[in-house]
Amino acid sequence: AQSVTQLGSHVSVSEGALVLLRCNYSSSVPPYLFWYVQYPNQGLQLLLKYTSAATLVKGINGFEAEFKKSETSFHLTKPSAHMSDAAEYFCAVSLNTGANSKLTFGKGITLSVRP
Amino acid sequence: DTGVSQNPRHKITKRGQNVTFRCDPISEHNRLYWYRQTLGQGPEFLTYFQNEAQLEKSRLLSDRFSAERPKGSFSTLEIQRTEQGDSAMYLCASSPRGSSLNEQFFGPGTRLTVL
Protein backbone atom coordinates (compact mmCIF):
# COMPACT_ATOMS: atom_id res chain seq x y z
CA ALA A 1 0.00 0.00 0.00
CA GLN A 2 1.11 3.55 -0.56
CA SER A 3 0.10 6.98 0.72
CA VAL A 4 1.05 10.62 0.41
CA THR A 5 0.97 13.38 3.00
CA GLN A 6 0.97 17.02 2.00
CA LEU A 7 1.12 19.14 5.13
CA GLY A 8 -0.80 22.37 5.06
CA SER A 9 -3.50 23.14 2.53
CA HIS A 10 -2.40 26.62 1.53
CA VAL A 11 0.93 28.32 0.91
CA SER A 12 1.28 32.01 0.12
CA VAL A 13 4.48 33.59 -1.22
CA SER A 14 5.47 36.89 -2.74
CA GLU A 15 6.33 37.11 -6.40
CA GLY A 16 10.03 36.37 -6.77
CA ALA A 17 10.25 34.43 -3.50
CA LEU A 18 11.21 30.79 -3.05
CA VAL A 19 8.43 28.24 -3.41
CA LEU A 20 8.59 25.13 -1.19
CA LEU A 21 5.76 22.63 -1.21
CA ARG A 22 6.23 19.60 1.02
CA CYS A 23 5.38 15.99 0.25
CA ASN A 24 6.06 12.86 2.29
CA TYR A 25 5.22 9.41 1.06
CA SER A 26 4.80 5.91 2.35
CA SER A 27 5.36 2.91 0.14
CA SER A 28 6.07 -0.77 0.73
CA VAL A 29 8.22 -0.96 -2.41
CA PRO A 30 10.43 1.59 -4.21
CA PRO A 31 8.01 4.19 -5.48
CA TYR A 32 7.52 6.36 -8.48
CA LEU A 33 6.72 9.90 -7.37
CA PHE A 34 5.01 12.69 -9.25
CA TRP A 35 4.01 16.31 -8.87
CA TYR A 36 0.99 17.52 -10.79
CA VAL A 37 -0.44 21.05 -11.11
CA GLN A 38 -4.11 21.83 -11.53
CA TYR A 39 -5.50 25.17 -12.63
CA PRO A 40 -9.14 26.02 -11.88
CA ASN A 41 -11.65 23.82 -13.70
CA GLN A 42 -8.92 21.97 -15.55
CA GLY A 43 -7.34 18.55 -15.44
CA LEU A 44 -3.94 17.73 -14.02
CA GLN A 45 -0.69 18.57 -15.76
CA LEU A 46 2.49 16.69 -14.95
CA LEU A 47 5.24 18.94 -13.54
CA LEU A 48 7.88 16.30 -12.92
CA LYS A 49 8.43 12.68 -11.97
CA TYR A 50 10.94 10.57 -10.03
CA THR A 51 11.53 7.12 -11.43
CA SER A 52 14.61 5.89 -9.55
CA ALA A 53 17.14 7.61 -11.77
CA ALA A 54 18.56 10.95 -10.55
CA THR A 55 17.35 11.98 -7.12
CA LEU A 56 17.14 15.65 -8.15
CA VAL A 57 14.45 15.95 -10.78
CA LYS A 58 13.87 18.98 -12.94
CA GLY A 59 10.47 19.68 -14.39
CA ILE A 60 8.60 22.24 -16.40
CA ASN A 61 8.19 25.92 -15.53
CA GLY A 62 11.37 26.01 -13.43
CA PHE A 63 10.20 23.53 -10.79
CA GLU A 64 12.37 20.81 -9.33
CA ALA A 65 12.08 18.20 -6.61
CA GLU A 66 14.53 16.09 -4.64
CA PHE A 67 13.87 12.50 -3.67
CA LYS A 68 15.19 11.75 -0.17
CA LYS A 69 14.71 8.12 0.74
CA SER A 70 15.92 8.55 4.32
CA GLU A 71 13.27 11.21 4.91
CA THR A 72 10.64 9.62 2.64
CA SER A 73 10.19 13.05 1.12
CA PHE A 74 9.78 14.54 -2.33
CA HIS A 75 9.48 18.29 -1.78
CA LEU A 76 8.80 20.62 -4.70
CA THR A 77 10.74 23.86 -5.06
CA LYS A 78 11.07 26.81 -7.40
CA PRO A 79 13.65 29.54 -6.78
CA SER A 80 11.48 32.46 -7.84
CA ALA A 81 7.69 32.45 -7.85
CA HIS A 82 5.72 33.92 -10.71
CA MET A 83 2.12 35.06 -10.64
CA SER A 84 1.26 32.33 -13.13
CA ASP A 85 2.35 29.68 -10.61
CA ALA A 86 -0.81 30.25 -8.57
CA ALA A 87 -2.63 26.92 -8.73
CA GLU A 88 -3.22 23.70 -6.81
CA TYR A 89 -0.36 21.23 -6.57
CA PHE A 90 -0.67 17.52 -5.97
CA CYS A 91 1.99 15.02 -5.01
CA ALA A 92 1.30 11.44 -6.06
CA VAL A 93 2.89 8.02 -5.67
CA SER A 94 2.57 4.81 -7.63
CA LEU A 95 4.13 1.42 -7.15
CA ASN A 96 7.22 0.53 -9.14
CA THR A 97 6.05 -3.00 -9.84
CA GLY A 98 4.85 -2.95 -13.43
CA ALA A 99 1.38 -3.96 -12.28
CA ASN A 100 -1.56 -1.60 -11.93
CA SER A 101 0.11 1.78 -11.84
CA LYS A 102 -2.73 3.70 -10.22
CA LEU A 103 -1.75 6.96 -8.64
CA THR A 104 -2.38 7.73 -4.99
CA PHE A 105 -2.62 11.47 -4.45
CA GLY A 106 -2.17 13.77 -1.50
CA LYS A 107 -4.87 16.27 -0.63
CA GLY A 108 -3.14 19.02 -2.52
CA ILE A 109 -1.70 22.43 -1.67
CA THR A 110 -3.07 25.70 -2.99
CA LEU A 111 -0.28 28.09 -3.90
CA SER A 112 -1.05 31.82 -3.88
CA VAL A 113 1.43 34.36 -5.23
CA ARG A 114 1.24 37.92 -3.96
CA PRO A 115 2.33 40.80 -6.21
CA ASP B 1 -5.36 18.45 -30.04
CA THR B 2 -4.19 14.91 -29.37
CA GLY B 3 -4.61 14.86 -25.60
CA VAL B 4 -7.15 13.02 -23.50
CA SER B 5 -10.65 14.34 -24.09
CA GLN B 6 -13.70 14.01 -21.87
CA ASN B 7 -17.36 14.72 -22.56
CA PRO B 8 -19.38 16.38 -21.35
CA ARG B 9 -17.31 18.91 -19.43
CA HIS B 10 -20.19 19.72 -17.13
CA LYS B 11 -23.30 17.76 -16.19
CA ILE B 12 -26.11 18.85 -13.91
CA THR B 13 -28.66 16.22 -13.03
CA LYS B 14 -31.38 15.54 -10.53
CA ARG B 15 -30.99 12.96 -7.82
CA GLY B 16 -32.06 9.55 -9.02
CA GLN B 17 -31.20 10.10 -12.68
CA ASN B 18 -28.59 8.11 -14.58
CA VAL B 19 -25.58 9.81 -16.17
CA THR B 20 -22.87 8.63 -18.53
CA PHE B 21 -19.48 10.18 -19.16
CA ARG B 22 -17.11 9.47 -22.01
CA CYS B 23 -13.32 9.48 -22.14
CA ASP B 24 -11.21 9.32 -25.29
CA PRO B 25 -7.60 8.52 -24.39
CA ILE B 26 -4.52 9.48 -26.33
CA SER B 27 -4.32 7.34 -29.43
CA GLU B 28 -2.61 3.97 -28.83
CA HIS B 29 -2.51 4.37 -25.07
CA ASN B 30 -3.56 0.98 -23.82
CA ARG B 31 -4.02 1.87 -20.14
CA LEU B 32 -6.96 3.98 -19.02
CA TYR B 33 -7.86 5.17 -15.53
CA TRP B 34 -10.83 6.85 -13.92
CA TYR B 35 -10.46 9.02 -10.83
CA ARG B 36 -12.91 11.05 -8.76
CA GLN B 37 -12.02 14.36 -7.18
CA THR B 38 -14.20 16.05 -4.59
CA LEU B 39 -13.81 19.63 -3.44
CA GLY B 40 -10.62 20.21 -1.51
CA GLN B 41 -9.30 16.69 -2.05
CA GLY B 42 -6.87 15.00 -4.34
CA PRO B 43 -8.12 12.62 -7.03
CA GLU B 44 -9.06 9.13 -5.84
CA PHE B 45 -8.66 6.04 -8.01
CA LEU B 46 -11.87 4.42 -9.23
CA THR B 47 -10.96 1.87 -11.88
CA TYR B 48 -8.33 0.79 -14.40
CA PHE B 49 -8.41 -0.77 -17.86
CA GLN B 50 -5.66 -2.39 -19.82
CA ASN B 51 -6.98 -2.53 -23.36
CA GLU B 52 -10.61 -3.65 -22.98
CA ALA B 53 -10.08 -5.56 -19.73
CA GLN B 54 -11.12 -3.90 -16.48
CA LEU B 55 -8.37 -5.08 -14.17
CA GLU B 56 -9.07 -3.28 -10.93
CA LYS B 57 -11.96 -1.50 -9.24
CA SER B 58 -11.75 0.58 -6.10
CA ARG B 59 -14.06 -0.02 -3.17
CA LEU B 60 -15.22 3.53 -3.88
CA LEU B 61 -16.93 2.17 -6.98
CA SER B 62 -20.32 1.14 -5.64
CA ASP B 63 -22.75 -1.09 -7.52
CA ARG B 64 -24.32 2.04 -9.01
CA PHE B 65 -21.12 2.72 -10.94
CA SER B 66 -20.10 0.84 -14.04
CA ALA B 67 -17.32 1.44 -16.51
CA GLU B 68 -16.63 -0.06 -19.89
CA ARG B 69 -13.97 0.17 -22.53
CA PRO B 70 -15.25 -1.67 -25.60
CA LYS B 71 -12.59 -2.49 -28.16
CA GLY B 72 -9.95 -0.95 -25.94
CA SER B 73 -10.41 2.58 -27.23
CA PHE B 74 -12.76 5.08 -25.56
CA SER B 75 -14.29 4.41 -22.16
CA THR B 76 -17.60 5.25 -20.53
CA LEU B 77 -18.42 5.67 -16.86
CA GLU B 78 -22.09 5.35 -15.92
CA ILE B 79 -23.63 6.28 -12.61
CA GLN B 80 -27.11 4.95 -11.96
CA ARG B 81 -29.57 6.50 -9.52
CA THR B 82 -27.30 9.43 -8.79
CA GLU B 83 -27.00 10.75 -5.25
CA GLN B 84 -25.87 14.17 -4.04
CA GLY B 85 -22.70 12.56 -2.76
CA ASP B 86 -21.77 11.70 -6.34
CA SER B 87 -21.18 15.38 -7.07
CA ALA B 88 -17.51 15.61 -8.00
CA MET B 89 -15.05 16.04 -10.83
CA TYR B 90 -14.52 12.79 -12.72
CA LEU B 91 -11.08 12.58 -14.29
CA CYS B 92 -9.84 10.20 -16.93
CA ALA B 93 -6.18 9.48 -17.61
CA SER B 94 -4.30 7.31 -20.06
CA SER B 95 -0.86 5.78 -20.14
CA PRO B 96 1.12 4.48 -23.11
CA ARG B 97 1.68 0.85 -23.99
CA GLY B 98 4.79 -0.59 -22.42
CA SER B 99 5.33 2.38 -20.18
CA SER B 100 7.44 1.46 -17.20
CA LEU B 101 7.27 4.94 -15.80
CA ASN B 102 3.61 4.93 -14.77
CA GLU B 103 3.20 8.39 -16.25
CA GLN B 104 -0.44 9.26 -16.76
CA PHE B 105 -1.90 11.97 -18.96
CA PHE B 106 -5.09 13.52 -17.67
CA GLY B 107 -8.12 14.88 -19.45
CA PRO B 108 -9.91 18.09 -18.43
CA GLY B 109 -12.50 16.21 -16.39
CA THR B 110 -16.29 16.09 -16.22
CA ARG B 111 -17.82 18.06 -13.38
CA LEU B 112 -21.00 16.42 -12.10
CA THR B 113 -23.52 18.31 -9.99
CA VAL B 114 -26.40 16.31 -8.52
CA LEU B 115 -29.28 18.46 -7.32
Side-chain angles (χ1 to χ4, degrees), chain A residues 36-109:
Chain A
Y36 283 86
V37 61
Q38 186 176 36
Y39 297 99
N41 297 314
Q42 294 188 24
L44 282 74
Q45 180 183 7
L46 181 67
L47 279 177
L48 49 79
K49 58 183 181 284
Y50 166 76
T51 57
S52 74
T55 56
L56 182 61
V57 180
K58 294 186 184 297
I60 62 171
N61 301 338
F63 284 94
E64 62 181 38
E66 185 172 8
F67 173 71
K68 291 187 177 181
K69 183 178 179 180
S70 60
E71 299 177 7
T72 61
S73 68
F74 190 57
H75 302 331
L76 182 71
T77 60
K78 181 174 180 178
S80 177
H82 192 271
M83 296 297 291
S84 62
D85 294 327
E88 192 153 16
Y89 292 80
F90 294 95
C91 182
V93 62
S94 73
L95 297 182
N96 180 8
T97 64
N100 178 358
S101 51
K102 64 184 177 185
L103 294 170
T104 299
F105 288 86
K107 291 186 175 182
I109 298 174

Side-chain angles (χ1 to χ4, degrees), chain A residues 4-57:
Chain A
V4 169
T5 301
Q6 294 184 253
L7 291 178
S9 60
H10 187 220
V11 170
S12 180
V13 300
S14 298
E15 191 172 18
L18 171 71
V19 175
L20 170 61
L21 304 180
R22 299 180 185 274
C23 172
N24 289 89
Y25 71 91
S26 172
S27 176
S28 56
V29 298
Y32 288 146
L33 293 161
F34 305 82
W35 275 99
Y36 283 86
V37 61
Q38 186 176 36
Y39 297 99
N41 297 314
Q42 294 188 24
L44 282 74
Q45 180 183 7
L46 181 67
L47 279 177
L48 49 79
K49 58 183 181 284
Y50 166 76
T51 57
S52 74
T55 56
L56 182 61
V57 180

Side-chain angles (χ1 to χ4, degrees), chain B residues 37-103:
Chain B
Q37 183 180 20
T38 53
L39 199 62
Q41 301 294 319
E44 295 174 293
F45 170 77
L46 291 179
T47 191
Y48 158 65
F49 290 86
Q50 184 161 308
N51 299 312
E52 67 276 10
Q54 187 175 18
L55 298 185
E56 183 172 344
K57 292 193 294 185
S58 164
R59 285 172 292 180
L60 292 175
L61 215 63
S62 76
D63 292 344
R64 296 184 297 105
F65 288 69
S66 63
E68 295 182 341
R69 193 183 182 198
K71 302 180 182 178
S73 56
F74 71 92
S75 176
T76 58
L77 177 67
E78 180 183 15
I79 309 174
Q80 296 182 327
R81 305 181 303 282
T82 53
E83 301 174 355
Q84 288 186 326
D86 297 331
S87 295
M89 175 79 88
Y90 290 84
L91 295 164
C92 175
S94 69
S95 187
R97 183 183 307 276
S99 170
S100 60
L101 303 180
N102 298 359
E103 180 173 343

